[in-house]
Amino acid sequence: MASQFKQLEKRVLLRKKLSESGFEVRMHSYDYYVIKEKFVSIISLEPEFNKASIKKISCNLKGSIPAIDKIYKIVKEIDPKITIEVRE
């Protein structure tokens, strides 16, 4: 079963919710580059496989780890059934 993120509206909603949470976001199709003062994460969506990955930024773990908690919750809020992998 495909994720709700297959719909453009849901991907745009993700960008909007991230921005409302204080992040600067660059959206490129199914990838999101997330910044909060410094680069904190990359989100990659694979809606056909009902998967998403959230990548930690090793050179900014101090900012990346708390950001990932927020990002995870936002993604799940939009699509509770999606499988999310947090990557190093």
Side-chain angles (χ1 to χ4, degrees):
M1 177 184 221
S3 166
Q4 293 182 36
F5 287 110
K6 190 172 181 180
Q7 302 169 25
L8 176 61
E9 296 83 16
K10 296 295 183 178
R11 296 193 309 273
V12 170
L13 178 61
L14 176 58
R15 184 187 67 199
K16 180 182 178 209
K17 287 188 173 282
L18 289 167
S19 293
E20 288 172 349
S21 293
F23 297 107
E24 184 178 334
V25 182
R26 300 286 184 252
M27 178 181 163
H28 300 278
S29 189
Y30 293 94
D31 297 318
Y32 299 75
Y33 300 91
V34 185
I35 301 160
K36 185 148 189 165
E37 296 174 17
K38 294 183 180 180
F39 192 48
V40 292
S41 186
I42 300 171
I43 306 166
S44 295
L45 302 174
E46 297 179 65
E48 288 296 327
F49 301 105
N50 197 33
K51 289 174 40 177
S53 65
I54 303 172
K55 182 167 178 15
K56 291 179 189 175
I57 304 303
S58 60
C59 63
N60 184 22
L61 287 177
K62 184 179 177 182
S64 189
I65 292 171
I68 286 173
D69 290 338
K70 287 182 183 178
I71 293 167
Y72 190 98
K73 289 174 186 172
I74 293 168
V75 171
K76 280 292 197 178
E77 179 183 321
I78 296 170
D79 186 354
K81 295 182 180 179
I82 196 166
T83 302
I84 302 173
E85 174 188 12
V86 178
R87 298 179 21 221
E88 298 293 324

